[in-house]
Amino acid sequence: MKYAFKNGYVLSGNADMKPESGLCVLVSDDKIEAVVPESDANLDGYEVIDLDGGYLMPGLINPHVHLPVAGNAPKANAKPVDYKKLFKLLAIPGVKAAFKKMEEGYVRAEVLSGVTTLRAVGGIMDFDGIIRDKIKAGKIAGPRILAANTAVSVPGGHFAGSLATEAESPEMAREHVRQIHATKPDLIKLMITGGVMDATEDGEPGILRMSPDIVAAACDEAHKLGYRVAAHVESPEGVRVALQNGVDTIEHGAKPDDEIIRLFKERGAADICTISPALPYCLFDLDVSHTDELGKRNGTIVMNGIIECAKMCIKEGIPVGIGTDTGCPFIRHYDMWREVIYFVKYCDVTPTFALYTATKRNAEIIGLGDVTGTIEAGKSADIIVSSENPLENLKTLKNLKMVMASGKLYRGQKIKKDEYIDEILDQYL
């Protein structure tokens, strides 16, 4: 298909982007063919799309998603989810198919909400890779996916035995990486520390679970096989261990010190800021979050650490991306736009910098800077269109006029949303 987008404003995705009028964006199949003055555009053979004064920009990129989980609101007095027990249900005939079907619905919500690329950083076996390949083949609707498939954890570690394996030694960690390699992932994910959801001590939400020698062995094996390594980390100690032993992206982060900043720079690593999952624990009333005082205090530590890490990294010129950690309580598969707003609100950046981070910067961090993230000739046709200027009102990203992912155009398709969650979260924008 060939499309010509005209009569609107173009936002390039670059750090200094400004709305540019009088341009025509030409798309051929799955690529942006050219961006030319409307007066010079030969539109023969193109389907012309009148933007009617709308704002065209690169699709959003979400580098931290868990596809098997919906992100529902927890219920009062509900028992904690036993993910190991839930994982064992996959042995029941039909359960695997049901989980895959749910994931197909989630990736559809992702793309219709404007996410044209995502990293799936910890899922059920090789399900995320299977979903990725079905999208590539045009069998289902969804964004481009970089899949980690199963993550690597340790006994008693974060999501161990469900979304992550349990490596008991450095050699076992290497073997787990090789086993994941056989499922054809795009990256390797490590669960180095605990988190708010599995914290048992007051003031220690990100206790170190994975020993340095296991981190080093997993990273070394992953790098030998050509993979980048992303790591769940929610404490300063965990950040130091991760960076000292080869991790490429710190997912979440924690309050940094001078040594952590030095390690970020020496390693050439990036920070992925995820405010969305910590916010409910930190800011919601307990009768809404349905956590306890321990969870609220630990959630506050994590949220403050995530924010301080991102702000210090930005100040020091260290790459910072933003992602949602979708699948955590209250974080649905259509809410990347909220994370963009949180980045402005809590990390003291401009809307322009936030949109640049959610597009070009995220693409660069996850290794796709030459593929997507900007509106320019040769890049993938990953495009979203809003009615208003997002640099003046980021909330306009909530309801997009249209989305194009790898050249496939979506118009007029609705997402089933959770009105209860939306009403709560809207209070914190």
Side-chain angles (χ1 to χ4, degrees):
M1 295 292 294
K2 296 169 76 72
Y3 297 96
F5 295 88
K6 58 179 295 187
N7 191 28
Y9 299 89
V10 175
L11 292 166
S12 66
N14 292 309
D16 60 351
M17 71 179 118
K18 296 179 181 178
E20 297 181 79
S21 61
L23 296 177
C24 185
V25 178
L26 302 177
V27 170
S28 181
D29 296 325
D30 62 344
K31 292 287 193 297
I32 297 173
E33 182 181 351
V35 181
V36 298
E38 288 185 2
S39 57
D40 296 342
N42 180 356
L43 304 183
D44 291 344
Y46 292 86
E47 177 183 338
V48 177
I49 297 178
D50 188 344
L51 297 176
D52 191 26
Y55 290 75
L56 180 151
M57 68 206 85
L60 302 178
I61 296 171
N62 190 344
H64 196 112
V65 176
H66 296 283
L67 287 179
V69 198
N72 293 326
K75 296 180 180 180
N77 302 316
K79 293 182 179 179
V81 177
D82 186 336
Y83 287 99
K84 276 191 175 183
K85 185 176 180 180
L86 190 62
F87 185 75
K88 291 177 181 178
L89 295 177
L90 294 171
I92 300 173
V95 173
K96 280 186 180 182
F99 268 98
K100 289 176 183 175
K101 196 67 177 177
M102 284 193 296
E103 285 200 21
E104 290 180 10
Y106 299 153
V107 294
R108 181 179 184 277
E110 291 276 357
V111 75
L112 294 183
S113 71
V115 172
T116 55
T117 300
L118 65 79
R119 277 196 318 174
V121 287
I124 298 171
M125 297 185 289
D126 61 348
F127 286 15
D128 295 348
I130 291 170
I131 296 295
R132 171 199 64 199
D133 295 344
K134 290 182 77 170
I135 293 169
K136 281 183 179 180
K139 295 179 180 179
I140 59 173
R144 175 186 298 102
I145 292 178
L146 297 184
N149 291 333
T150 304
V152 179
S153 190
V154 294
H158 202 55
F159 284 103
S162 58
L163 304 185
T165 66
E166 297 176 288
E168 299 177 9
S169 66
E171 187 48 49
M172 189 178 288
R174 289 182 182 275
E175 178 57 28
H176 287 188
V177 170
R178 291 192 289 267
Q179 290 172 358
I180 295 167
H181 166 64
T183 70
K184 299 181 180 179
D186 300 291
L187 71 152
I188 297 297
K189 172 72 180 296
L190 306 183
M191 302 294 198
I192 292 179
T193 74
V196 179
M197 294 175 69
D198 53 20
T200 58
E201 298 293 330
D202 196 345
E204 291 186 323
I207 189 169
L208 184 67
R209 301 291 186 189
M210 185 176 286
S211 62
D213 57 346
I214 291 180
V215 177
C219 288
D220 182 61
E221 195 67 27
H223 292 151
K224 285 180 180 178
L225 293 169
Y227 298 115
R228 297 183 182 208
V229 179
H232 167 98
V233 186
E234 292 188 356
S235 68
E237 182 185 15
V239 174
R240 275 191 289 272
V241 167
L243 295 174
Q244 286 169 345
N245 292 283
V247 164
D248 299 293
T249 59
I250 297 295
E251 311 291 315
H252 314 304
K255 184 178 180 179
D257 54 23
D258 291 343
E259 181 189 13
I260 285 174
I261 294 301
R262 176 181 60 78
L263 289 169
F264 261 113
K265 292 179 178 179
E266 287 181 0
R267 176 76 195 111
D271 173 57
I272 303 296
C273 175
T274 58
I275 296 170
S276 290
L279 186 146
Y281 285 96
C282 179
L283 300 183
F284 287 10
D285 291 336
L286 295 182
D287 61 350
V288 177
S289 65
H290 297 305
T291 186
D292 53 19
E293 290 288 353
L294 173 65
K296 190 175 183 70
R297 287 193 293 271
N298 283 337
T300 301
I301 291 170
V302 167
M303 182 167 172
N304 290 341
I306 288 170
I307 292 168
E308 290 180 43
C309 191
K311 290 172 72 171
M312 183 59 71
C313 283
I314 292 169
K315 180 181 177 181
E316 293 292 329
I318 294 163
V320 174
I322 55 175
T324 59
D325 203 2
T326 298
C328 288
F330 296 98
I331 314 304
R332 305 286 284 175
H333 283 278
Y334 51 79
D335 269 349
M336 177 61 184
W337 66 276
R338 292 187 190 274
E339 189 69 29
V340 182
I341 292 176
Y342 296 155
F343 196 45
V344 173
K345 183 174 182 177
Y346 294 104
C347 295
D348 301 329
V349 302
T350 66
T352 302
F353 188 85
L355 189 60
Y356 150 74
T357 300
T359 55
K360 183 179 182 181
R361 193 54 149 168
N362 273 352
E364 293 169 341
I365 289 172
I366 66 175
L368 294 178
D370 59 343
V371 174
T372 188
T374 55
I375 301 299
E376 61 181 305
K379 291 289 183 74
S380 178
D382 299 329
I383 293 167
I384 59 176
V385 178
S386 65
S387 298
E388 301 176 40
N389 182 359
L391 304 185
E392 295 178 353
N393 179 18
L394 285 169
K395 292 180 183 178
T396 193
L397 298 175
K398 179 179 181 179
N399 296 301
L400 297 171
K401 295 177 69 173
M402 64 188 77
V403 176
M404 175 174 280
S406 297
K408 186 172 183 178
L409 185 63
Y410 301 91
R411 287 184 286 188
Q413 299 186 46
K414 301 296 183 181
I415 303 169
K416 185 178 180 180
K417 296 188 176 182
D418 189 317
E419 294 181 2
Y420 171 72
I421 289 179
D422 288 352
E423 183 177 352
I424 294 170
L425 290 176
D426 284 350
Q427 302 173 54
Y428 298 91
L429 294 175

